[in-house]
Amino acid sequence: MTPTDQVSRKRSIVSFVHRGGRMTVGQDRAWQRSWPHLGKQVPELPQGPLDTDSWFGRAAPLLLEIGSGMGETTSLLAQAEPGTNYLAIDVYQPGLAQLILRAEAMGLTNLRMLRGDAVVLLGAHIAPGSLSAVRLFFPDPWPKKKHHKRRLVQPDFVALLASRLAPGGTVHMATDWAEYADQMLEVLSGQPLLRNRFDGWAPRPDWRPVTKFESRAREEGRISRDLIFERVND
Ligand SMILES: C[S@@+](CC[C@H](N)C(=O)[O-])C[C@H]1O[C@@H](n2cnc3c(N)ncnc32)[C@H](O)[C@@H]1O
């Protein structure tokens, strides 16, 4: 059984993986104009590891942000880290189109996008030990207990993530759902290939932008928690 199969068996088949959504006229134009060179659909990738050096046109540390949403954080961090090949994945087409608009307005050259399921990408198209960092900011919390199995952060998913990181590479997660934060801490701490860089929660890094999403959480009394773990040698 492949790593992707192992993770998928645990997750119910949910329609969010195929999230479409209506695009604005501006987003649709951006998609037509720039998706062919900035983006790829995961189900259409050729078998085997994605050749990111060719796609980005250079060899550089490869960073994967899972669930880029509307791209607010993604565009700012890609701009702040010109030395990384910044790869963003989401299933939500209007969000990716909005990210294209941001990337164009900011003149970003180090950002590429994928549309599809991060589990499939990691399992089938990212070579072991090839990522310098993985970011997962505010993943869908699935707050109802009966939906917890849909959460991305589960032991098999974290094992897959860890296997794709280079030694010394980091996985950085953040959430404003206290109980999901506890689950993340437990699952990350239980993965032998990872070591917590901090004693429990990481201090909130100044460089992580405060998004509208996080501001709303604060207004509603939910505090964000960050977790930064590092891949150890086998
Ligand atoms: C709650 S939003 C957070 C977006 C963004 N990180 C932020 O902080 O504003 C979660 C995002 O993860 C995406 N997502 C959920 N499951 C995914 C999966 N399996 N693969 C890729 N993206 C996924 C959703 O489409 C959504 O855009």
Side-chain angles (χ1 to χ4, degrees):
M1 200 184 326
T2 66
T4 310
D5 293 336
Q6 283 168 6
V7 176
S8 299
R9 261 160 53 95
K10 294 271 165 68
R11 299 187 314 158
S12 55
I13 299 160
V14 283
S15 60
F16 73 87
V17 167
H18 304 288
R19 266 175 92 183
R22 194 181 287 268
M23 293 195 283
T24 63
V25 172
Q27 287 169 349
D28 187 50
R29 288 203 184 119
W31 187 269
Q32 303 302 333
R33 186 170 60 237
S34 294
W35 180 258
H37 57 276
L38 289 183
K40 294 182 190 295
Q41 303 272 1
V42 173
E44 292 169 10
L45 291 175
Q47 267 196 338
L50 182 60
D51 182 355
T52 48
D53 288 358
S54 299
W55 193 18
F56 282 85
R58 64 174 187 175
L62 181 64
L63 183 154
L64 177 68
E65 184 183 331
I66 298 173
S68 46
M70 298 306 286
E72 202 181 348
T73 296
T74 313
S75 54
L76 290 170
L77 292 182
Q79 184 181 47
E81 295 163 67
T84 57
N85 285 345
Y86 206 110
L87 190 56
I89 181 165
D90 206 295
V91 292
Y92 185 50
Q93 188 179 19
L96 290 166
Q98 192 62 36
L99 180 54
I100 292 175
L101 285 169
R102 293 180 200 275
E104 288 177 341
M106 294 161 82
L108 300 181
T109 56
N110 64 326
L111 177 67
R112 300 288 183 275
M113 300 162 212
L114 288 158
R115 183 170 181 222
D117 186 351
V119 174
V120 175
L121 176 77
L122 285 162
H125 303 293
I126 298 290
S130 63
L131 296 174
S132 66
V134 177
R135 291 176 177 159
L136 179 65
F137 296 150
F138 304 97
D140 295 309
W142 296 107
K144 289 185 183 159
K145 201 169 170 63
K146 66 177 178 183
H147 292 149
H148 282 186
K149 59 181 178 293
R150 295 182 182 180
R151 287 177 170 173
L152 215 38
V153 183
Q154 314 274 355
D156 289 344
F157 173 71
V158 168
L160 179 57
L161 259 187
S163 72
R164 270 44 187 169
L165 280 173
T170 55
V171 52
H172 182 176
M173 298 186 183
T175 181
D176 54 314
W177 288 87
E179 181 267 329
Y180 197 10
D182 289 341
Q183 177 176 333
M184 286 177 178
L185 179 59
E186 187 184 325
V187 172
L188 288 166
S189 303
Q191 170 48 240
L193 288 176
L194 297 175
R195 179 183 71 84
N196 197 343
R197 278 209 172 161
F198 299 89
D199 186 15
W201 312 118
R204 189 195 186 290
D206 292 342
W207 50 261
R208 187 168 64 68
V210 181
T211 59
K212 285 184 204 136
F213 189 75
E214 191 176 359
S215 301
R216 197 169 56 237
R218 281 182 186 174
E219 282 160 24
E220 291 169 6
R222 292 194 307 281
I223 297 162
S224 302
R225 300 279 191 208
D226 285 73
L227 287 163
I228 303 177
F229 279 63
E230 183 180 305
R231 163 78 200 252
V232 296
N233 286 312
D234 286 328

